[in-house]
Amino acid sequence: MTEIKKVAVIGAGVMGSGIAAHVANAGIPVILLDIVPTGANDRSALAKGAIEKMLKTKPAPFMHPRVAKLVTPGNLEDDLDKLADVDWICEAIIENVELKRKLYAQLEQKRKKGSIVTSNTSTIPLDLLTEGLPESFAADFAVTHFFNPPRYMRLFELVKGPKTKPGVIDALRQFGDVKLGKEVVDCKDRPGFIANRIGIYWSTVATALAYDMGLTVEEADSIVGKPMGIPKTGIFGLADLTGIDLGPHVVGSMLRTLPKTDPLLQFYKADHPLNALMQKMIKDGYTGRKGKGGFYRNRGKEALDLKTGEYRATKRANLESAKVARKGLRALVEHEDKGGQYAWGVASRVLSYAADLVPEIVDDIMAVDIAMKTGYAWKYGPFEQIDQLGTQWFADKLKAAGMPVPKMVEVAAGRPFYKEENGKAYRLTTKGDYAEIVVAPDAWMLADMKRGKQPIASNRGASLWDVGDGVVCLEFHTKMNAVDADIITMVKEAAKIDKKGFKALIIGSDSDNFSVGANVGIALFQANIAMWPAIEQGISEGQDAYMKLKYAPFPVVSAVAGMALGGGCEITLHSSAIQAHAESYMGLVEVGVGVIPGWGGCKELITRAITNKKRPGGPMPALAQVFEAISTAKVATSAMEARDMLILRDSDGITMNRRRLLADAKARALELAKDYKPPVPVEISLPGPTAKAAMSLAVDGFFQQGKATRHDVVVSGALANVVSGGNTDITEVITEKKLLELERENFMALIKTNATLDRIEHMLTKGKPLRN
């Protein structure tokens, strides 16, 4: 199997440059080539410009600016010789078969023997791409279809041809999974593969039906949005996001390559009024968010009237069916209002379409569900949605509507597509029997370990699970994993697992977020009735629980995914090690609600900064870094950035694939457990009042410039008191206990101010910080 150590991407457009950036995110050198622009002074201007643009783009294609150095720009006339030591060449030029074939002929002359060549085509079948090319080329060729933006969209569709060597597919699958962090789905060589085959039909149906049934864009998005497990952008918002000008190209490509009997060709009408409207929008520059606007403009304040083609003020959708959808998908599609009828119109067609494509596009129903969840960000895949409706109910409903029942629904014969029995999970096959869903030992989710088991201990906030080999997993399960008294209780319970014969602990879950921080709603309630002793007790309990974890006689590894903020970040700081998903968002954000970290977050960052062997000069630069990070509620937008902030240490690990995170954390915990010794208590020296004065002076300057509010000054003053060490000087020793006392005292002083209580209430009601 080829080991991919160096990559080249041909095509520096949005997709090509994004793929190159993500390869660099994996720490792999990559060459980015494009054509020589006519009359250009710099012959590699397109590739260089793409890199420069990506360094300014938000959300960022690069996980850290420094990885951009791994991307070497060039051009297709001067730099093809650089392909001689490249292991994988990924083509990402425009969707034109003849241009692609011409490029492949050039690559064949320059690439090293056995190197892999792939296309990122989104709709063109592989057999058309390799037509007329040497068999040696076809043996090394495959399709690797990324989704935009490549850093964030997890789907990686992999297509082999009849002549593709097995080692090529094995190498791409391994690289895509482990290095790039993707969900690799093997597809058959069919137009649109899996996700776009279904997704293009879905978007065509959903937009046309909205027009035909008289729904506004807001109403359509309120149904084909969160109620149907679709991202909150909805269907028209998604068109704005991806680019309205992209639609005619992908639909056109599908219409040219799909079999004539495909439902897309039966449904699509070239003369549909919506098509004419979209063509006018494109001509006028209304191509979505990248243009002057799309179905929405002016930051969503205006929406397009589909009938008149004119913009008007956005109107909040108020369909009863959208509210009923909280009870489930069936409640939504059974509702009699136009939203319910619209939901059924979309679901009946799209779910039937997806179910009838197995085994044409892929043999495994799970592959379809994974593709739609990771490529289009659906919460549930088509077969999971049919299970929610009930296979028999769905079949009966289709028959009643005079619609054909898909083959796979007939195969199900009233049985679910997925089931669990005796602690194992199964999926229905095309033959009508059930096959076990096998979980890899190095790539699993907590649900796989929990299946058929009971927790070691549990309460409303958290549970302890035996995940094998003497390792326990502490799982949070509050809303967004916000830390409350129940979680603190279970943290203390977790600190005693060695007494039950276990040797290591990992902290993590299958949730989107590790933990968004403390449950501030409880603090606000207590403050409003002046329960100050209870609040202070809660701070003390949290400090005590986290310190018990830090000095436990066994290793504790936090498996961080999504957001780890405030009190959630603090628990990771007290772990023996962190195994972070590459897309982790970590930071101490307490100042946003008018307080400072109170569960040891200040203490941990201070001690890390002071004991950091790489810190410049005396203590002040290091302390200034800590003060700035906490006082501005700085959040790392990747695990790499978290390392810069000292939240992650050099010894902490980064996992690219979310599905591998818990397994990697467990492996790290077992490695540490071999000869584990708790850390030695930290003692440091801090400057005291002189440092506090310097920090306060800086904040006052920001206040005078209007960059800080009056209460920012108060909160920052309390933080400065902690970071400086309080009433001390550089000749004295400060213990962790003393720093925790400073945190607690200053937290309590702030929680008693009206301005802080206003910030907490505003965050709870508005979902964003109050600038007071």
Side-chain angles (χ1 to χ4, degrees):
M1 184 174 75
T2 302
E3 185 178 359
I4 299 173
K5 296 181 179 179
K6 190 173 184 179
V7 176
V9 178
I10 314 297
V14 173
M15 277 302 298
S17 60
I19 292 168
H22 195 55
V23 170
N25 290 335
I28 307 295
V30 55
I31 300 168
L32 180 62
L33 305 180
D34 210 316
I35 61 171
V36 177
T38 304
N41 294 325
D42 187 339
R43 293 170 63 81
S44 300
L46 291 180
K48 289 179 180 177
I51 296 169
E52 292 170 4
K53 184 178 180 180
M54 288 193 294
L55 285 167
K56 301 173 185 176
T57 300
K58 299 294 180 184
F62 291 114
M63 289 181 177
H64 196 288
R66 66 171 169 261
V67 303
K69 296 176 182 177
L70 289 171
V71 185
T72 302
N75 67 77
L76 288 169
E77 293 182 21
D78 305 324
D79 300 305
L80 282 181
D81 288 339
K82 294 179 179 178
L83 302 180
D85 64 344
V86 165
D87 304 303
W88 172 29
I89 304 168
C90 179
E91 167 269 305
I93 66 172
I94 62 172
E95 293 285 80
N96 181 297
V97 174
E98 296 304 322
L99 286 178
K100 289 179 187 286
R101 286 182 190 149
K102 183 179 178 181
L103 172 63
Y104 299 158
Q106 291 178 280
L107 299 180
E108 179 68 353
Q109 301 302 314
K110 298 294 184 179
R111 72 187 183 100
K112 72 176 181 181
K113 185 178 180 180
S115 63
I116 298 169
V117 183
T118 70
S119 175
N120 183 58
T121 180
S122 57
T123 56
I124 303 173
L126 185 148
D127 60 350
L128 292 179
L129 295 173
T130 55
E131 192 176 289
L133 290 162
E135 287 201 12
S136 59
F137 183 87
D140 293 329
F141 187 82
V143 168
T144 49
H145 182 216
F146 290 82
F147 280 69
N148 195 35
R151 171 183 168 182
Y152 299 97
M153 299 306 292
R154 291 168 50 213
L155 179 59
F156 183 76
E157 290 183 320
L158 185 56
V159 186
K160 67 179 180 180
K163 298 176 182 177
T164 309
K165 293 184 296 191
V168 168
I169 298 301
D170 292 341
L172 290 169
R173 186 183 294 113
Q174 175 75 5
F175 189 80
D177 174 356
V178 179
K179 293 294 185 181
L180 300 182
K182 302 301 181 186
E183 286 284 358
V184 183
V185 174
D186 292 278
C187 312
K188 293 183 180 181
D189 187 18
R190 301 290 187 271
F193 312 124
I194 297 177
N196 277 346
R197 179 72 174 270
I198 297 169
I200 291 169
Y201 179 75
W202 165 70
S203 59
T204 302
V205 167
T207 51
L209 281 185
Y211 185 96
D212 294 342
M213 298 178 71
L215 276 79
T216 65
V217 295
E218 300 97 321
E219 287 173 336
D221 286 350
S222 76
I223 297 297
V224 183
K226 291 184 73 174
M228 295 188 76
I230 308 300
K232 63 181 180 181
T233 52
I235 190 64
F236 287 104
L238 177 65
D240 282 358
L241 182 65
T242 58
I244 292 167
D245 54 334
L246 181 65
H249 292 290
V250 295
V251 172
S253 178
M254 295 296 283
L255 294 175
R256 288 190 297 272
T257 54
L258 284 173
K260 301 304 180 186
T261 56
D262 191 271
L264 177 63
L265 277 75
Q266 311 304 315
F267 182 87
Y268 180 81
K269 300 292 184 290
D271 58 353
H272 192 281
L274 187 59
N275 292 330
L277 176 61
M278 291 171 67
Q279 289 294 344
K280 183 178 185 304
M281 292 169 68
I282 295 168
K283 181 181 177 182
D284 294 342
Y286 287 94
T287 55
R289 294 188 188 182
K290 64 183 178 183
K292 296 189 291 186
F295 291 104
Y296 297 92
R297 72 175 184 183
N298 192 17
R299 297 183 180 180
K301 294 179 182 177
E302 292 180 293
L304 190 70
D305 187 304
L306 296 178
K307 299 300 183 182
T308 67
E310 302 294 328
Y311 286 95
R312 50 158 177 77
T314 302
K315 300 175 184 176
R316 184 182 179 89
N318 190 31
L319 294 171
E320 186 63 29
S321 51
K323 302 171 187 174
V324 169
R326 298 189 189 98
K327 297 178 181 178
L329 183 59
R330 192 194 291 192
L332 171 63
V333 300
E334 285 185 323
H335 201 277
E336 295 181 354
D337 75 3
K338 63 179 178 179
Q341 295 175 45
Y342 172 58
W344 170 247
V346 174
S348 59
R349 290 171 172 83
V350 175
L351 298 184
S352 292
Y353 185 66
D356 249 346
L357 287 174
V358 176
E360 180 194 340
I361 59 174
V362 70
D363 294 322
D364 182 0
I365 65 168
M366 252 184 88
V368 173
D369 286 343
I370 290 171
M372 296 314 296
K373 289 190 289 186
T374 56
Y376 276 76
W378 289 13
K379 187 174 183 180
Y380 305 103
F383 291 97
E384 291 171 332
Q385 291 181 56
I386 296 173
D387 270 356
Q388 291 173 11
L389 296 173
T391 55
Q392 190 61 55
W393 181 93
F394 187 57
D396 293 342
K397 181 84 168 174
L398 289 174
K399 290 175 184 175
M403 300 173 70
V405 178
K407 294 187 294 289
M408 278 304 295
V409 175
E410 290 181 337
V411 168
R415 298 169 297 162
F417 285 110
Y418 297 96
K419 70 174 184 177
E420 292 184 8
E421 281 183 1
N422 303 319
K424 294 181 179 180
Y426 298 88
R427 69 182 183 279
L428 193 70
T429 72
T430 55
K431 296 177 180 178
D433 56 0
Y434 283 97
E436 184 181 350
I437 300 172
V438 180
V439 178
D442 57 354
W444 45 267
M445 303 298 282
L446 187 57
D448 299 318
M449 292 294 181
K450 290 163 54 176
R451 193 172 292 115
K453 295 180 182 177
Q454 293 297 316
I456 299 166
S458 184
N459 61 24
R460 289 180 301 176
S463 300
L464 295 174
W465 296 92
D466 182 349
V467 292
D469 301 311
V471 181
V472 171
C473 181
L474 170 58
E475 175 197 24
F476 302 159
H477 40 71
T478 55
K479 184 178 180 180
M480 297 190 76
N481 289 347
V483 181
D484 61 9
D486 286 326
I487 285 181
I488 295 298
T489 297
M490 201 53 62
V491 168
K492 290 184 176 182
E493 188 69 24
K496 300 182 290 186
I497 59 166
D498 57 308
K499 294 179 174 57
K500 296 182 179 180
F502 294 99
K503 58 185 176 183
L505 175 73
I506 61 174
I507 306 174
S509 71
D510 294 342
S511 302
D512 291 338
N513 297 302
F514 180 83
S515 171
V516 296
N519 188 335
V520 294
I522 297 172
L524 179 63
F525 170 77
Q526 292 173 328
N528 282 334
I529 55 176
M531 292 178 63
W532 310 120
I535 294 175
E536 186 163 7
Q537 179 66 21
I539 297 298
S540 297
E541 291 284 344
Q543 290 180 346
D544 180 55
Y546 287 10
M547 288 293 278
K548 278 183 166 59
L549 279 189
K550 180 174 182 177
Y551 291 105
F554 51 84
V556 177
V557 179
S558 286
V560 177
M563 292 186 286
L565 306 177
C569 182
E570 285 175 296
I571 196 169
T572 72
L573 292 172
H574 287 80
S575 302
S576 315
I578 298 172
Q579 189 69 34
H581 182 227
E583 298 293 355
S584 295
Y585 291 70
M586 305 181 73
L588 299 172
V589 296
E590 286 84 350
V591 298
V593 289
V595 293
I596 62 170
W599 284 337
C602 299
K603 166 185 70 74
E604 285 300 309
L605 283 194
I606 292 166
T607 54
R608 289 184 185 193
I610 291 297
T611 58
N612 182 12
K613 294 178 181 179
K614 298 178 183 179
R615 71 178 172 90
M620 276 309 297
L623 294 177
Q625 181 185 1
V626 173
F627 179 76
E628 179 186 5
I630 299 176
S631 65
T632 60
K634 185 177 181 180
V635 175
T637 58
S638 71
M640 290 185 193
E641 288 185 7
R643 187 162 277 159
D644 287 351
M645 294 170 61
L646 303 181
I647 292 174
L648 261 62
R649 295 153 291 198
D650 290 341
S651 59
D652 290 327
I654 297 175
T655 297
M656 291 294 282
N657 193 325
R658 174 68 176 88
R659 187 172 290 278
R660 293 181 173 273
L661 179 63
L662 289 169
D664 286 352
K666 178 183 172 182
R668 175 70 170 143
L670 286 171
E671 183 64 30
L672 289 172
K674 290 177 181 177
D675 55 357
Y676 187 73
K677 292 181 178 60
V680 176
V682 180
E683 293 184 345
I684 59 173
S685 296
L686 296 172
T690 56
K692 179 182 178 181
M695 295 171 193
S696 297
L697 188 63
V699 175
D700 285 337
F702 285 122
F703 176 69
Q704 297 300 328
Q705 297 170 43
K707 297 178 180 178
T709 67
R710 190 170 299 280
H711 197 51
D712 287 338
V713 175
V714 175
V715 176
S716 296
L719 176 62
N721 196 38
V722 178
V723 175
S724 65
N727 188 22
T728 186
D729 64 56
I730 205 69
T731 64
E732 296 181 7
V733 171
I734 290 185
T735 63
E736 290 182 84
K737 181 180 178 181
K738 175 61 178 175
L739 286 174
L740 288 173
E741 289 174 359
L742 282 170
E743 283 189 23
R744 191 165 61 248
E745 290 168 6
N746 286 276
F747 181 99
M748 289 306 301
L750 290 170
I751 197 72
K752 292 178 181 178
T753 65
N754 289 329
T756 285
L757 298 181
D758 289 343
R759 284 194 178 189
I760 295 174
E761 186 170 3
H762 193 271
M763 180 64 77
L764 290 172
T765 56
K766 305 292 185 181
K768 55 185 179 181
L770 173 66
R771 307 295 296 141
N772 61 343

